[in-house]
Structures are given as structure tokens and as C-alpha cells.
Amino acid sequence: MTPAPTLTTSRLVLRGPQKRDLAPFTAWTTRSERMKAVGGVGTERDAWRGFIAGIGHWHWHGYGFFTVTERDSGIATGRVGIINHIEWPQPEMAWHMFDGFEGRSYAYEAACAVREWAGRTLGLEPLISLIAPQNTRSIALATRLGAVEERRDVVDGEDCIVFRHLSHDDRRAVTQAAGAIA
């Protein structure tokens, strides 16, 4: 369905979106409190359009959101990947964990793998993350990944903090990836 590769970490499998991922994505889009940090709760129609746009993103750019699944159960836990929408300043590493899967370091583990893949395979680095100032959990994750605040900006009509990530071959990123991917 997509040209996405499969990335494997110690606990996760990151793969391209599949039809079966629409249901958990729709539940997150339409009901999750976390949606407040990414534009607000959406409708089923919004979820459908976002999901299909994500598939198109892979075909257009050759990268996009990976569906993050637990290695043992195969359950979809969220999305982590590289996006570059119209009017974005450059490719962005972004993450969304579905309800019930935060606090397990899945986003961190997946982001380490995505950063390494994007740098090594695509030459996309150093990446940015665009994070709403009130999104304290995403700010904490970006900081844990070694990203630093570069500037404040408005992107797609929303205030955001632009965080600059480490290059994939920075010794800190290599150490993080080795721990996550092992």
C-alpha cells in the first residue's frame, strides 16, 4: 500500500500505514484529549482525510508517518515519522501516541529509529519538530532526544516552537539509537 520500509527496534515495529490502522487513528483523532495539542479534536471525516493524506505523503515525498506497533502484539500504538506539508519550513519529525500508549517510551524509541533512518537513508538532517508551546509532553520528548529550541514561529496559522534535532551521526544520537534499536 505504501513504499514505506519496515524499521524494527527492541520493542517496536514501524511500518507504513495499512487499512487496519484507520480505526485506531480515527479513535485518536475524534476522541483523544491529546488532540488539543495538534489542532483540536476532529471528525471521522477529518480522520479519513488525514489518514489518506498520510498515505499520499509517502508516495509524494518518499517518507511519512510510520505506524508504530508493539513487536509482540502487533497492536498499533501511534505514529512517528517525517512530514513536510505545504508551507512547512522543512521536513519535520513528528509523533502521535494513541491513548493508552503514552508513558512507555515508545515515541522516544521510534523517534530514535526514524531519526537514524532519515539521516542515513534520506540525508534529511538535522530535522526539526514544530511543537505547540502548551504541548509539554512533546517538548519533554524533543528535549530528551537532544533537540534544542531554535525559534518561535507561526506555521499553518498555529504558534509553535521550532526544535532542532541532533544529526543522526552525532555521538549522542548514535548512543540513543543503539539503546533503542538493540
Side-chain angles (χ1 to χ4, degrees), residues 34-56:
R34 300 292 298 141
M35 285 298 294
K36 290 178 184 175
V38 291
V41 172
T43 65
E44 285 189 25
R45 181 182 178 139
D46 296 330
W48 167 256
R49 288 182 175 197
F51 189 79
I52 295 302
I55 293 168

Side-chain angles (χ1 to χ4, degrees), residues 84-90 130 154-157:
N84 192 8
H85 296 307
I86 192 167
E87 299 178 4
W88 249 230
Q90 69 181 79
L130 307 172
V154 176
V155 176
D156 200 24

